[in-house]
Amino acid sequence: MKVVTFTIDYFPAPGGLARYAKAVMEFIGGENNVCIPKFSSRRFGWLSAIRALSSTKPEMVFVHHVLPLGTISLIYRLMYKVPYVIFFHGMDFMLATRNPWKRWLTKRILRNAKAVVANTQYLAVKIARFSDIEPLVVHPLPSICGTGHNKKYSDRVSLLSVARLVERKGIQRVLQALARHPEWNDRIKYVIVGVGDYAPELRAMISDLNLSSIADLKETADDAVIRTAYENADIFVLPTISKGND
């Protein structure tokens, strides 16, 4: 069966969604079957997306943006009987349920899907409550080759956050929690890896809260750095919050 990933973001584009989509396709052995549509601004510009998807001749479509690509996939299914699977990543679900029209459309897309996938158990519960459909949970997994036995911070418990550096990821909450427990300073190391507009605020917070000795902010999206960070970590932490449209 030819499975085609239908997405706006795909590796080497930055971001967790792009990497997640690539990892899913590598797992099933179809990493070369990717459709990244370019939408026209004209009234019926969505037709170009249907033509782009049709040109790949899919037998199954993996959709990583319920709106608008889930709409395209629903139309394609009605036209050609090609099933599709919807993948949710968090913010996309929030945007797809912001108003009555989007909620109605999203429910119709999900009810016609072959399957629905969420990247966290928390998100799966929200989707189930919204649609009465139980999603399959497929967690993002980093590509780690090492054993982690020779950890850089072997004398401390190593916490790790890897994310786009925006307020919604909740990294500031971890810093605030650590600042309340200075007695942990000789037992904990907190490593933050990522890039984003919130980085200056995080650096200022690390300084203001006197956490420079335990918090290490690495502003990079380099795969080798991320892989090493995972290998050295004991606990991954990312207490995300809802923040506007992000």
Side-chain angles (χ1 to χ4, degrees):
M1 173 181 287
K2 183 178 182 180
V3 179
V4 172
T5 288
F6 198 29
T7 181
I8 297 171
D9 297 313
Y10 197 80
F11 190 83
L17 192 158
R19 284 174 164 79
Y20 182 98
K22 183 176 187 292
V24 170
M25 290 306 284
E26 286 180 339
F27 181 77
I28 66 172
E31 60 266 29
N32 295 323
N33 301 327
V34 180
C35 178
I36 304 174
K38 294 181 180 180
F39 288 96
S40 168
S41 60
R42 294 176 296 180
R43 183 176 180 182
F44 296 104
W46 53 270
L47 288 173
S48 64
I50 291 182
R51 286 195 291 268
L53 181 59
S54 182
S55 69
T56 66
K57 296 179 171 54
E59 297 174 272
M60 172 77 76
V61 182
F62 282 5
V63 186
H64 288 274
H65 304 266
V66 66
L67 298 180
L69 300 188
T71 309
I72 303 299
S73 300
L74 172 60
I75 295 171
Y76 194 80
R77 177 186 177 278
L78 295 175
M79 293 172 61
Y80 300 108
K81 310 299 182 185
V82 174
Y84 61 87
V85 176
I86 297 291
F87 288 78
F88 278 107
H89 302 268
M91 184 175 69
D92 50 351
F93 177 74
M94 180 185 69
L95 296 176
T97 56
R98 286 200 314 181
N99 61 51
W101 159 246
K102 288 185 176 182
R103 287 193 292 272
W104 177 87
L105 180 58
T106 299
K107 284 182 179 179
R108 184 164 185 182
I109 292 168
L110 298 185
R111 288 168 183 166
N112 283 276
K114 184 74 172 179
V116 178
V117 178
N119 67 349
T120 67
Q121 187 62 47
Y122 174 78
L123 181 57
V125 170
K126 294 184 70 172
I127 295 169
R129 289 174 178 170
F130 169 75
S131 64
D132 293 326
I133 295 171
E134 291 291 336
L136 173 69
V137 178
V138 178
H139 296 287
L141 292 176
S143 176
I144 301 174
C145 299
T147 64
H149 292 163
N150 297 314
K151 288 174 39 180
K152 181 178 179 180
Y153 311 112
S154 58
D155 59 334
R156 302 186 186 184
V157 174
S158 179
L159 308 180
L160 173 66
S161 295
V162 177
R164 183 165 51 99
L165 300 182
V166 294
E167 188 175 359
R168 184 177 69 86
K169 298 301 182 180
I171 293 170
Q172 69 277 12
R173 301 171 74 182
V174 182
L175 295 174
Q176 291 162 354
L178 292 174
R180 294 191 186 101
H181 296 277
E183 69 275 15
W184 294 350
N185 285 8
D186 61 346
R187 292 181 286 165
I188 286 180
K189 184 69 179 180
Y190 181 34
V191 178
I192 306 160
V193 183
V195 292
D197 295 338
Y198 200 55
E201 285 81 357
L202 292 175
R203 285 202 179 278
M205 187 176 295
I206 290 170
S207 177
D208 293 343
L209 295 176
N210 298 315
L211 295 174
S212 298
S213 63
I214 65 172
D216 183 10
L217 174 56
K218 302 178 185 294
E219 289 187 64
T220 180
D222 181 77
D223 284 341
V225 174
I226 293 172
R227 188 179 302 113
T228 299
Y230 275 116
E231 291 172 357
N232 287 324
D234 295 299
I235 302 171
F236 182 86
V237 56
L238 199 66
T240 57
I241 58 177
S242 295
K243 187 68 177 179
N245 292 332
D246 189 9

